[in-house]
Amino acid sequence: QVQLVESGGGLVQAGGSLRLSCAASGRTFSRYNMGWFRQAPGKEREFVAGIKWSGASTYYADSVKGRFTISKNNAKNTVYLQMNSLKPEDTAVYYCVARGPEGSTKPNEYEYWGQGTQVTVSS
């Protein structure tokens, strides 16, 4: 069993930055592909970024490419999402996910989910 706990969300002005963290429990964390999804009010959950278990490959939604960076520290059992140049349309609940196909953009292909952290970007 793996538990994922996100942190780092909050309120920020447009153009600002936030770094989300996802701490994972479980001995096999280092073997899992990880990712981030988000869900805005009234919208479907959407893929944001993904990372291969080794950290060697990363994947991004077009809407965040060049602004967001996903990284993974297997020694600390933590995955990060650095978000720069934030826009009001980035406002959403952000979810950390684990154990899915590398680079998958489909939420139902990930086995483990965190509880989510709210990110609000004001204009």
Side-chain angles (χ1 to χ4, degrees):
Q1 187 70 17
V2 172
Q3 289 188 324
L4 305 173
V5 180
E6 302 98 333
S7 61
L11 174 64
V12 64
Q13 288 189 332
S17 298
L18 282 174
R19 188 175 82 154
L20 305 184
S21 298
C22 173
S25 63
R27 295 177 298 173
T28 55
F29 169 83
S30 62
R31 302 179 186 175
Y32 292 160
N33 300 319
M34 307 284 293
W36 291 90
F37 282 75
R38 67 185 180 186
Q39 188 168 22
K43 295 189 177 181
E44 292 187 352
R45 202 164 286 192
E46 66 172 354
F47 172 80
V48 176
I51 187 166
K52 184 176 179 175
W53 63 271
S54 63
S57 299
T58 56
Y59 306 86
Y60 298 96
D62 288 343
S63 59
V64 306
K65 203 170 293 183
R67 299 188 298 121
F68 290 11
T69 302
I70 187 171
S71 60
K72 192 171 186 267
N73 187 326
N74 286 333
K76 294 186 176 181
N77 277 14
T78 302
V79 63
Y80 304 96
L81 185 68
Q82 178 67 43
M83 306 186 295
N84 299 328
S85 302
L86 283 161
K87 305 175 181 180
E89 51 264 44
D90 294 318
T91 296
V93 177
Y94 283 70
Y95 297 91
C96 176
V97 297
R99 200 175 187 186
E102 181 183 340
S104 173
T105 64
K106 300 177 182 179
N108 62 357
E109 292 190 335
Y110 289 89
E111 183 170 351
Y112 301 109
W113 287 74
Q115 83 288 351
T117 186
Q118 177 70 47
V119 171
T120 303
V121 184
S122 63
S123 57

